[in-house]
Structures are given as structure tokens and as C-alpha cells.
Amino acid sequence: MFEDVVERLRENNDGKLPFEDLFQSIYKRITRVFDDRRMASDILLMVTYMDSLAIAKATRPEIFASTSEKKEYASAKAIKKIEFFVKRFGYSYVQAITIVGERVENALLKTLLNRFGNAMESGVPDIDFLEGELSSSMEIFRNNQEAGYELLKKWADAYIAMLLSSVVIAITLMVSVAIYTPGSVEETLGITYVIVILISAFGIGTMFQTVPTDDRVYKSEDWSSKEQGMLKKLEKIIIPLTIIAWLLAWVIGIPAGIVFMLVGFMVAPLAIIAYIDNSNVIARDEEFPNFIRGVGAIMGGKSVTLSTALAQVDKKSMPTLSPLLLSVYSKLNLGLDEELSWKRFIGECGSNFIYKYFSIFRDTAKMGGDAKKIGTVVADSMLEQVLMRKRRELASMGFVVLLIPMHAAMCAIFIALYNILSTLSKSITSVMTSFEAASAAASGDAIGGAMGGGMIGMFIDFPDALVGAYVVQILVLICFANVIVGQLAVGGDRSMVYPFLSIMFLVTGMLFLAIPPVVDLFFSMEGLVSTGGTVV
């Protein structure tokens, strides 16, 4: 039925769906943004794979054909187009590379293709070019990552400053509501939502484009690490329950502080598991270059298979990786399928680097290449990316250490000022009501009217409920903005939002519960009398 509707729409619109071209252009632009973020990393992976194929004495058609099938590399799309021109239209590789290179928009990929085409045209052997290009790709990757980390430091400070400015604007408008509102209160406060959303969106978008991506987690359809398996199961339970609990608490009218704390505590199990999984993946990635280098040396030096080399490699220096390696070794000893055993190993590691680099090593070693050389090439490339990740940790931790205290400070100021205005409004309104009643009983309402004006009168009729909802909504927006920015800075899987989500909501909830009693102590009428004397 749906297919018939689609066909009728195509017939009535010259063979296209309404807005099909627009949506395709938007999709291509979004895809390009995501591809550009990981292009430097994927070029290094692709060149490592091509160099390993060359070491295995693969021909040029075999190198390009095998690389074009690597869908996990963003840069491999260009290689697939080159293969299309060569095999479909009979172009030479130099001509095909030139055509594709002119159409590629990414600068890093364009320069790589131009260099490759020039080398081919000059008669440079592929293995010589790829060996030199691997060193160049490492240097380009290193420079790209270091530039991204410098931008991370600068944009992190800029984001904090912009968010602080939006909070200051929100506080100013909140105070202005207590003093004087030329229009309706809703219109005045509504300006703040637009400002906070625009500033947050600009900060998130800028961080997304400037900070290098780091896809740490590999999610296999068949197997996963213990932590990733737990996350997958718990997400289906905890996330819906958290949303339902949040909505029910809002309908019932539970205080905002308790609701924030409830969300933070409910997400906390996911946060802990995600943090453990992220730490384990990082530890396995740091150990894997030594493993692949050792296995390659044993396979090349003793002319043995991967299974035999696995038994001889030193596992004591790899405490995080060794249990998984022992599991693979046990399966192979039992005569289980080698391909499935290694696929399960990759899935249980849960590492994107291990998945990609181990696939390179196994694919090219199977082709009869020198395992020692291939192991060295793979280990060097992966080590380069692991070391750059350590640099990222230093840069991102500086931002996170600043982000959480600043979030707490902004929330504390916002909540404290709201409670001060609310407390003063209630106290002054109560006193003025009593005073006017007493004055009216004694000598008419002339004195009460005089006392009701001026600076005292500005706190009367303060829209407490409306401003209270406004404070909660602004802080929810700030919480989510800080969660997204924190995850972008740290990198890793999307599950890394859970630690930030839990921390931000717990901090905000604690402030909502802790600040009002302190404000009541000092700014209620009794507090003002006890600290400043008697009220005449």
C-alpha cells in the first residue's frame, strides 16, 4: 500500500518525491560533516591497509579492489569511485585518480589522491609510495589532532564564557520581572529561552566541528563486551522508566530538586557501566600494539600460524587483554572455527581500533605477506592514534574539571537569586498586608498606600510560580547543553553522555534542595530582623 502511494507521488512529480532533492542535499551535507570529522584518522587506517597489502605483494588492482570494500573507512568512498571508473569505463588508474581527486571536497583526501596519481604517473612502485605515504599520513594525523586539541582548549573557554553570559542575561531578566515588566511576564522570560538555546546550539555546533572525533567502541551485531551487553539491556529499562518517572513527578508536583536527584540516581547505573567500559576499551587499545607487534615477530621469525604465535606471545604484560586472548586460545585448542573465534574476540574487546587494525593484520597476513613487517606497520599506526588519544585526555580533562564547578556555580547563583526574590516577596507582602490592615483600622488607608509604593512595593505581586518554572526550565536546558559538550570533549561512545547526565542532574538537584533553607535563614523577615535589628 505504501509503495503504491510512493509510486503515485513519483508519477505526479516527474519521477521524484516532493522535496526529494532538498532532503538528499541535506543528507549529503550531514554525511560530509561526519566524514570530515574522521577523515584524518580514516586516511591513516586506509594507507596502513594499502601498505600492508603492498607488503603482501598484492597487485595494484588487488590493492584498490580490497580497499574499496572497506566501508568502515570514510576515505574508501573515493577509492570505490576510482574502481568504478577503471572497471566500468576502462580508464587507467592515473586518469581515474585525477578525475576523482578533482571532485573530492575534503582537502586531506584530495592531496593524498593527487600525490598518489603523480607517483603512479612518475613510475614510482606502489610499495615505495605507500611506505613513504604512511609516514606522511601519521604526521598529518598528528598535526590534525594537535590542532583540534588546541581548538578544544580555546573553544572550551569560549563556551564557558558564552554560557555564563546567557545565565547572566537570564538572571537579569528574572530580576527585572520583580522590579518592572513593560509587557507580559511570559514575553519577557521567553526572550531568555531563545538566547540560551541559540548560545548552547552555537557552542555545541562549534565544538562538534572543531574537536576531532574518537569512535572508541565497536558494536558487533553478534558479540559485545560484558559492559556493552549490560548497557544495551539496561538502557531499554532505565531510560523509559526515567522518562516516565520525570513526567509523573512533574504532574504530581514533586519539588524540582527531588526530580533532578531522581533522574541523576536513576541514570547513575548506566553512568558507572559506561565509564568502566570506556576505561577498559582505552586500556585494551594501549596494550594491543605490543600484542600485534609480538605476534607478527613470532609469525615472521618462526614461520608459524597466528594460532601458534598466540600461544607463545607474552601475555603477562597485557593484564586487560590477556583474559580475552586466553579465551581465544582455549577455543582454538578445542578445534572451534578460527574465523568465528577471532570475530568473537573482536566483539568482546569492544574496541574500534582493535576491530580495524586486527582486520588489517589478519587479512594481509593471510595473503602471505611478511607478518613481522605487517605487524610493525599496524602497531606503529595504532600506537600513533593511541598516543594522540592520551593528548586528548589531557586537554578534555582540563575542560571537564572546569565545566562541572562552573555548572554548579551558575546553577547556585540562579537558584539563590530566585529564592531571595521569592522569600523577600513573601515576607514583604506579608508585612505590608498586616501593616495596611492595622493602619486602615486605626486611621484609614493613607499610610498603607504610602508604604506600599517605592522600592518596597516592587517586591509585591512577584510571579513566584511562573518564575520558578522558568528557573527549572532554564537549568534543564543548561544541563543538557553541558552534557552534550562534555561528551564531545571527552569523545568515545554515545554512552559517555550518561556520566555527565548523572553528575549534572545530581549537582543541580542538590543545589535545589540545599539553597532554599540557607536563603530562608538569612532573607526571611525573621532572618532580616535577627541580623539587622528590629522592624519599625
Side-chain angles (χ1 to χ4, degrees):
M1 179 180 179
F2 180 73
E3 293 177 355
D4 294 338
V5 174
V6 172
E7 289 300 324
R8 285 199 298 270
L9 286 172
R10 287 186 183 277
E11 290 175 2
N12 296 331
N13 290 276
D14 298 327
K16 293 184 179 180
L17 292 173
F19 306 106
E20 184 175 359
D21 292 338
L22 176 62
F23 286 120
Q24 284 182 351
S25 64
I26 293 173
Y27 175 76
K28 288 179 181 178
R29 187 172 183 81
I30 293 173
T31 304
R32 181 190 165 192
V33 170
F34 279 92
D35 286 347
D36 286 348
R37 290 190 72 217
R38 58 192 183 97
M39 187 60 72
S41 174
D42 281 5
I43 285 176
L44 177 57
L45 281 159
M46 186 181 76
V47 174
T48 302
Y49 182 57
M50 297 177 84
D51 189 28
S52 300
L53 288 169
I55 293 172
K57 296 181 173 56
T59 62
R60 181 177 293 170
E62 288 174 337
I63 291 174
F64 277 84
S66 299
T67 307
S68 66
E69 297 302 320
K70 289 287 184 180
K71 298 179 180 179
E72 60 266 32
Y73 306 156
S75 52
K77 295 178 182 178
I79 305 299
K80 194 171 185 67
K81 292 177 181 177
I82 293 170
E83 274 289 285
F84 175 79
F85 281 114
V86 170
K87 293 184 176 178
R88 184 69 179 270
F89 298 108
Y91 286 105
S92 68
Y93 278 100
V94 175
Q95 292 173 323
I97 288 175
T98 303
I99 293 170
V100 174
E102 290 174 352
R103 300 179 182 180
V104 166
E105 296 181 348
N106 184 273
L108 295 177
L109 186 56
K110 182 186 286 289
T111 54
L112 169 63
L113 294 177
N114 290 337
R115 288 195 300 271
F116 208 169
N118 292 335
M120 286 184 185
E121 195 170 12
S122 303
V124 178
D126 290 345
I127 188 167
D128 293 341
F129 169 78
L130 290 169
E131 283 179 357
E133 188 60 33
L134 182 59
S135 300
S136 300
S137 297
M138 287 184 184
E139 187 66 29
I140 292 169
F141 171 75
R142 188 185 305 117
N143 292 337
N144 180 271
Q145 295 292 105
E146 288 176 349
Y149 301 154
E150 289 300 318
L151 287 173
L152 169 60
K153 295 176 184 177
K154 295 183 182 299
W155 275 111
D157 296 337
Y159 172 79
I160 294 292
M162 288 189 299
L163 198 63
L164 184 60
S165 301
S166 68
V167 172
V168 170
I169 294 171
I171 291 172
T172 303
L173 289 177
M174 181 180 68
V175 174
S176 72
V177 167
I179 299 174
Y180 174 70
T181 306
S184 66
V185 176
E186 291 85 354
E187 291 178 356
T188 303
L189 298 180
I191 299 172
T192 310
Y193 295 114
V194 178
I195 294 172
V196 172
I197 290 173
L198 288 177
I199 290 177
S200 301
F202 177 76
I204 291 169
T206 305
M207 292 280 284
F208 179 82
Q209 286 194 316
T210 56
V211 178
T213 186
D214 184 11
D215 299 326
R216 295 173 193 167
V217 173
Y218 167 64
K219 295 184 178 180
S220 171
E221 297 179 358
D222 302 313
W223 295 286
S224 62
S225 67
K226 181 176 64 176
E227 295 82 12
Q228 290 167 19
M230 292 174 64
L231 273 174
K232 190 174 181 180
K233 292 177 182 178
L234 289 176
E235 277 179 335
K236 297 177 181 178
I237 300 172
I238 292 178
I239 298 301
L241 285 179
T242 303
I243 295 172
I244 292 170
W246 190 352
L247 293 175
L248 286 176
W250 176 67
V251 171
I252 295 170
I254 294 175
I258 296 175
V259 177
F260 275 95
M261 295 283 286
L262 177 65
V263 172
F265 278 121
M266 290 187 73
V267 177
L270 296 178
I272 294 169
I273 297 171
Y275 179 80
I276 294 171
D277 179 56
N278 184 66
S279 301
N280 288 341
V281 168
I282 291 174
R284 290 170 191 141
D285 285 346
E286 292 174 355
E287 295 172 0
F288 193 78
N290 290 333
F291 163 72
I292 207 68
R293 196 189 303 274
V295 166
I298 294 171
M299 290 175 66
K302 298 183 179 181
S303 299
V304 295
T305 62
L306 178 58
S307 303
T308 307
L310 179 61
Q312 300 178 28
V313 73
D314 180 23
K315 304 179 187 65
K316 294 179 181 178
S317 59
M318 299 174 282
T320 310
L321 205 58
S322 59
L324 299 172
L325 293 173
L326 291 172
S327 176
V328 176
Y329 182 64
S330 300
K331 293 182 180 70
L332 295 177
N333 275 344
L334 292 172
L336 300 180
D337 186 86
E338 182 179 353
E339 186 70 22
L340 289 177
S341 298
W342 284 117
K343 280 186 177 180
R344 181 164 184 172
F345 164 76
I346 293 171
E348 290 178 347
C349 283
S351 165
N352 194 42
F353 281 173
I354 293 177
Y355 159 63
K356 291 180 177 179
Y357 280 108
F358 195 49
S359 297
I360 293 173
F361 179 81
R362 291 186 66 235
D363 290 349
T364 52
K366 280 181 181 178
M367 297 176 66
D370 187 336
K372 184 177 180 180
K373 288 184 179 179
I374 294 171
T376 301
V377 167
V378 170
D380 288 345
S381 295
M382 183 170 177
L383 184 61
E384 183 68 40
Q385 292 196 302
V386 170
L387 292 176
M388 284 296 102
R389 179 183 287 168
K390 300 294 286 185
R391 293 283 301 275
R392 183 196 186 105
E393 288 179 14
L394 292 174
S396 62
M397 285 307 298
F399 172 58
V400 171
V401 168
L402 177 64
L403 179 66
I404 296 174
M406 283 300 297
H407 174 81
M410 288 186 289
C411 292
I413 294 171
F414 206 1
I415 296 168
L417 283 175
Y418 161 68
N419 280 277
I420 290 170
L421 292 174
S422 178
T423 302
L424 287 175
S425 174
K426 291 176 184 176
S427 300
I428 292 172
T429 301
S430 176
V431 170
M432 291 302 299
T433 302
S434 302
F435 185 81
E436 288 176 358
S439 299
S443 55
D445 59 355
I447 300 176
M451 291 294 294
M455 294 299 293
I456 296 292
M458 73 180 185
F459 288 106
I460 301 175
D461 298 328
F462 178 72
D464 197 344
L466 183 62
V467 176
Y470 160 80
V471 171
V472 172
Q473 291 161 7
I474 291 294
L475 292 183
V476 168
L477 290 175
I478 292 173
C479 279
F480 279 113
N482 289 340
V483 166
I484 295 171
V485 168
Q487 194 275 334
L488 287 174
V490 172
D493 187 52
R494 63 172 180 79
S495 60
M496 283 304 293
V497 301
Y498 296 131
F500 287 101
L501 188 66
S502 181
I503 291 171
M504 298 300 177
F505 272 73
L506 284 173
V507 168
T508 308
M510 287 188 287
L511 292 172
F512 260 113
L513 295 177
I515 289 176
V518 177
V519 171
D520 288 340
L521 181 64
F522 290 101
F523 289 92
S524 65
M525 192 54 66
E526 293 81 3
L528 292 173
V529 169
S530 63
T531 57
T534 59
V535 177
V536 180

